Amino acid sequence: ALADEGLAKGPLIPPSKAASGEPMIAIDGVSKWYGAFQVLTDCTTRVSKGEVVVVCGPSGSGKSTLIKCVNALEPFQKGQISVDGTKVKDRSTNLPKLRSRVGMVFQHFELFPHLSITDNLTIAQRKVLGRSGEDAKRRGLDLLARVGLSAHAEKFPGQLSGGQQQRVAIARALAMNPVVMLFDEPTSALDPEMVGEVLDVMVELARDGMTMMVVTHEMGFARKVADRVIFMDRGEIVEDATKDDFFGQPRSPRAQQFLSKIL
Ligand code: ADP
Ligand code: MG
């Protein structure tokens, strides 16, 4: 678990404007087109502070696109998204600052291959947040301990397993003190025996109170820690339900069909 190698010092989750239970992510009527192709249609949902929302649905349904809109990696033509009260689509919004408050972990770990694990953990803290090398290293090593990888600080990404690299990627995102964490199929590129160790880190993070939006087909994870499940199909949110309602009595036939295939 996260605390295997000793609890890290300092707050994991920084102060936010939102109080517990208030919306940390507000997605309002978001539509997006790639040329003539509409990839998102009128998507609306809220993620409260401390809430864990799992996003699932068939391949191509717009899950990745939706979460990329949350940290402005993708523009959208209609609607609005706010993260901790800051509008994503607003001329006055400082996008680099907003992005530094939104941690993102992708399917492919995307560590810098030519940098040591320590340097991977510290480079953005120094370059984006302006932390001193010493502060960045302390924070990075704390988080490396939280994901159980203290022994690997001086190695290079290629010397770690896929599961270990993904845990470093999570630590690297956390080092930036995000108020929310977005995950896009963080375990789907891993060998099966490595899925568990990455999900364990995510479960701990959820239990520590991190606000999380997680695209995943790992329904065991959803059952364990999700507060809500969003089901997308063809660019629409067709189901947005509590975990119990989603697994117990999905409303839409499309969600029922999806669940029957993967459970
Ligand atoms: P998911 O993550 O649910 O598999 P995506 O959000 O990746 O779905 O993609 C949704 C749809 O948008 C798919 O039909 C995909 O082909 C299309 N798409 C994704 N990225 C682009 C792009 N850059 N240009 C055009 N179409 C895209
Ligand atoms: Mg995707």
Side-chain angles (χ1 to χ4, degrees):
L2 287 189
D4 267 350
E5 298 178 24
L7 261 186
K9 295 160 282 297
L12 179 65
I13 301 165
S16 58
K17 289 185 208 133
S20 184
E22 284 181 10
M24 189 63 104
I25 303 171
I27 300 175
D28 279 305
V30 168
S31 294
K32 174 178 172 65
W33 289 260
Y34 285 117
F37 174 67
Q38 185 162 11
V39 57
L40 296 175
T41 303
D42 200 20
C43 293
T44 296
T45 192
R46 295 268 177 289
V47 182
S48 301
K49 182 174 178 178
E51 203 174 23
V52 177
V53 174
V54 161
V55 181
C56 61
S59 176
S61 56
K63 306 179 297 294
S64 295
T65 305
L66 182 65
I67 67 162
K68 280 185 199 153
C69 288
V70 173
N71 70 345
L73 285 179
E74 283 284 351
F76 48 93
Q77 288 84 4
K78 268 184 72 184
Q80 185 58 274
I81 298 179
S82 302
V83 178
D84 198 20
T86 300
K87 290 184 181 127
V88 169
K89 209 169 75 173
D90 190 303
R91 252 182 240 140
S92 67
T93 295
N94 178 337
L95 281 183
K97 190 172 166 208
L98 175 89
R99 290 200 186 101
S100 79
R101 313 254 305 152
V102 181
M104 178 115 192
V105 176
F106 299 91
Q107 184 172 354
H108 297 284
F109 339 116
E110 294 172 9
L111 299 177
F112 302 112
H114 59 292
L115 296 181
S116 70
I117 300 305
T118 300
D119 288 343
N120 265 282
L121 289 165
T122 55
I123 187 166
Q125 293 188 70
R126 291 189 287 112
K127 302 233 152 131
V128 180
L129 302 181
R131 287 184 184 149
S132 70
E134 198 185 331
D135 284 351
K137 190 165 176 186
R138 191 179 312 121
R139 175 89 183 150
L141 294 181
D142 277 355
L143 286 158
L144 200 59
R146 276 193 189 245
V147 301
L149 293 172
S150 290
H152 305 279
E154 298 314 318
K155 292 188 181 163
F156 285 80
Q159 296 173 279
L160 301 189
S161 72
Q164 289 172 329
Q165 289 186 55
Q166 194 62 306
R167 285 150 66 196
V168 172
I170 295 171
R172 182 176 63 171
L174 291 172
M176 302 297 282
N177 296 63
V179 290
V180 309
M181 285 284 287
L182 308 176
F183 292 87
D184 191 0
E185 303 204 31
T187 60
S188 57
L190 298 175
D191 291 335
E193 70 271 22
M194 290 167 190
V195 169
E197 68 193 61
V198 173
L199 292 178
D200 284 348
V201 167
M202 293 166 63
V203 169
E204 288 277 322
L205 194 54
R207 293 195 171 144
D208 280 340
M210 181 59 81
T211 307
M212 296 163 62
M213 242 178 132
V214 184
V215 177
T216 185
H217 292 157
E218 294 288 340
M219 291 298 124
F221 172 82
R223 283 179 186 276
K224 209 185 232 176
V225 296
D227 295 295
R228 290 197 349 265
V229 180
I230 287 174
F231 175 77
M232 294 186 70
D233 193 22
R234 292 174 229 172
E236 287 179 61
I237 295 177
V238 296
E239 193 109 10
D240 185 344
T242 65
K243 169 179 63 180
D244 291 343
D245 283 350
F246 184 75
F247 288 113
Q249 44 189 330
R251 275 185 310 110
S252 67
R254 284 184 275 179
Q256 287 165 10
Q257 197 189 15
F258 177 78
L259 275 175
S260 71
K261 275 190 211 147
I262 62 168
L263 289 182

